[in-house]
Amino acid sequence: MLRVAVVGSGPSGVYTAQALVQQRDVPGVTVDVLDRLPCPYGLVRYGVAPDHEKIKSLQNNLRAALEHPAVAFLGNVRVGEGPGAVTPRGLLDLYHAVVYCVGAATDRRLGVPGEDLPGSFSATEFVSWYSAHPDAAPGGFVLAARSAVVIGVGNVAVDVARVLARGAEELRHTDVPDAALRALADSRVTDVHMVGRRGPSQAKFTTKELRELGSLPGAEALVRAGEAALDPAWADPSGLPAVGRRNVEVLRGWPGEPSLARARRVRLRFFLRPVALLGEEAVRAVRFERTVPDGRGGVVGTGRFEEIEAQLVLRSVGYRGLAIPGLPFDAEHGTVPHAGGRVLRDGAASPGEYVAGWIKRGPTGVIGTNRSCAKETVAALLADAEALAARRPARDPRAALRAAGLEPVEWPGWLEIEAAEAALGQRLGRGRVKIPDWDGLLAAARAQR
């Protein structure tokens, strides 16, 4: 029998647990899925936009895996160092094997002057706010801003631009927290500029997301055809891969000038590279350098500059993994060094330690990519099963975690959180509404005791 800990309850962690308990070669595998948060599902709960209910319904599939008899959920368990945490070495004393599936928890930085001015945020901070992540800042994002600049042209950039441009009443039926809903209702934002340094054929958003952005009630999506035409594929996108071709075709149908009847405008801008955020006490504008294609898939600066007014800047230029104290970390790539999922310490496989998901391969792929990634790691773990089984974990994990001062939230506690969120929504005259703070989540979880 193997006792395995999976650290992280997002898709990669749940797919890892599922692959372990569904395999038939090594009988008697049990899995504890640990998470720092008292709630499961990772970015499906705290990263998918509230108006993308079809994608959020993936929680139902993850739920089924976490309710498997051989799987246990242990939330509110921090892995690292210091008080209130269990170390990676300590986990190896409790389990035959540990698989780290902790994702990529922070944004890449722009590295330009003024990036830390008040009013400048990472897209992750904004997403965490409207997704009710308990670590999120309480607000202040949109109340006073008239013009917002979103730097980046991927799906996360589209998400935050869409939430800014969408009317709050359209989000009322979602699980967006009440404070965020009220702030969005009071928002003065009239213009949202989504800006990329390359052309429309190289943008990373999907066509479905792009079309959704172009069909928002009460908002108008605009693109400057003359600017987009710097892209050699703009005039004839037929030679592009399917997604790029469809994206260009959609954008070519968008107007260049706004209609006075529309309350908000979403302006897609291309071939502009941010060089500075301007302002003294707070951001007031973003300075961009005009770029042009270099003929090799990249861009070069032209020495011509443009400023776009902004009281709110959201930076969405990619994610990056964070180191777990006590676990090896490749700072250059933001990943844990590994060979086929086996963690490497000083170049050699560390017995019993594995990785899956973004912390293994970097922030690439879609949610479904995590399934094949998890299967590769599980195959490596099962190949090591005989050697792993020879180890004897010292104690019952849950008793040991409590003895160390941790208070794990188990599955019944999570069900109490769900019930409390349903009751909160009922009181507000809405559907289920997320609890946005640590105290509220833990108080709800403990109601089952």
Side-chain angles (χ1 to χ4, degrees):
M1 176 179 286
L2 284 182
R3 182 194 298 163
V4 180
V6 171
V7 181
S9 66
S12 63
V14 175
Y15 291 152
T16 298
Q18 188 176 52
L20 282 165
V21 298
Q22 289 182 346
Q23 58 78 36
R24 299 178 182 276
D25 296 331
V26 179
V29 176
T30 61
V31 182
D32 286 353
V33 178
L34 281 53
D35 202 293
R36 184 178 68 88
L37 299 173
C39 308
Y41 310 137
L43 280 179
V44 178
R45 175 175 166 92
Y46 288 118
V48 175
D51 56 344
H52 277 183
E53 294 171 342
K54 185 175 180 180
I55 302 175
K56 290 175 77 68
S57 69
L58 177 62
Q59 291 184 19
N60 296 328
N61 297 336
L62 302 181
R63 181 190 197 98
L66 290 172
E67 289 180 333
H68 189 283
V71 177
F73 173 70
L74 300 178
N76 196 37
V77 174
R78 184 167 65 87
V79 178
E81 294 179 348
V86 57
T87 66
R89 192 61 62 187
L91 281 180
L92 280 179
D93 290 337
L94 303 176
Y95 296 92
H96 292 99
V98 183
V99 187
Y100 292 91
C101 306
V102 292
T106 191
D107 286 73
R108 294 185 181 275
R109 291 180 62 82
L110 295 173
V112 301
E115 185 170 6
D116 295 318
L117 279 169
S120 169
F121 302 90
S122 71
T124 294
E125 291 175 288
F126 188 63
V127 171
S128 294
W129 171 69
Y130 67 61
S131 298
H133 195 293
D135 290 340
F141 283 100
V142 297
L143 287 176
R146 299 181 305 279
S147 176
V149 167
V150 180
I151 299 174
V153 285
N155 277 346
V156 174
V158 174
D159 281 348
V160 298
R162 189 181 66 255
V163 168
L164 283 170
R166 191 185 281 283
E169 192 58 33
E170 297 171 53
L171 295 171
R172 184 176 174 78
H173 71 282
T174 73
D175 61 4
V176 68
D178 199 54
L181 187 67
R182 285 186 275 111
L184 289 167
D186 291 339
S187 170
R188 301 175 188 172
V189 173
T190 57
D191 290 271
V192 181
H193 308 262
M194 193 168 74
V195 188
R197 63 186 177 88
R198 297 194 291 179
S201 69
Q202 297 167 310
K204 300 299 184 183
F205 41 65
T206 59
T207 309
K208 180 178 182 295
E209 292 258 4
L210 184 63
R211 287 182 175 136
E212 188 177 10
L213 189 63
S215 59
L216 295 178
E220 189 167 23
L222 309 167
V223 65
R224 296 185 181 184
E227 180 177 80
L230 293 171
D231 190 325
W234 179 257
D236 179 12
S238 60
L240 293 173
V243 173
R245 183 184 71 251
R246 290 194 295 265
N247 285 346
V248 171
E249 289 170 349
V250 169
L251 289 169
R252 287 172 59 180
W254 286 9
E257 295 297 328
S259 164
L260 295 178
R262 298 288 185 167
R264 289 189 175 94
R265 296 166 291 275
V266 181
R267 304 174 186 271
L268 262 67
R269 303 293 309 276
F270 296 102
F271 294 109
L272 292 172
R273 176 167 58 200
V275 295
L277 274 63
L278 308 177
E280 296 179 0
E281 296 183 358
V283 65
R284 62 169 179 80
V286 183
R287 192 178 197 216
F288 293 92
E289 181 183 16
R290 168 67 63 194
T291 62
V292 293
D294 64 3
R296 300 184 300 276
V299 292
V300 294
T302 63
R304 302 195 307 273
F305 298 90
E306 175 181 339
E307 292 181 12
I308 299 178
E309 176 194 357
Q311 297 81 39
L312 173 65
V313 176
L314 300 175
R315 313 178 305 270
S316 181
V317 293
Y319 289 102
R320 182 175 178 80
L322 291 175
I324 294 178
L327 198 67
F329 188 68
D330 180 344
E332 180 180 353
H333 298 98
T335 57
V336 170
H338 70 95
R342 296 179 176 93
V343 172
L344 299 178
R345 290 183 181 269
D346 299 322
S350 176
E353 294 186 306
Y354 303 85
V355 285
W358 280 2
I359 200 65
K360 170 187 174 184
R361 67 181 191 275
T364 61
V366 296
I367 289 176
T369 310
N370 291 296
R371 192 181 293 276
S372 57
C373 178
K375 287 181 177 178
E376 180 191 47
T377 295
V378 167
L381 190 157
L382 295 175
D384 300 339
E386 185 176 352
L388 295 173
R391 299 179 55 248
R392 292 289 182 266
R395 306 169 62 186
D396 171 68
R398 288 173 230 190
L401 292 172
R402 291 191 179 94
L406 281 74
E407 298 185 36
V409 171
E410 300 185 43
W411 194 252
W414 160 241
L415 297 181
E416 292 291 345
I417 292 173
E418 284 192 313
E421 291 183 338
L424 174 60
Q426 188 173 26
R427 290 196 301 273
L428 295 171
R430 299 171 55 193
R432 177 177 168 182
V433 174
K434 287 180 185 172
I435 297 171
D437 61 284
W438 277 97
D439 289 345
L441 290 169
L442 293 176
R446 290 165 184 152
Q448 54 92 23
R449 293 183 182 178

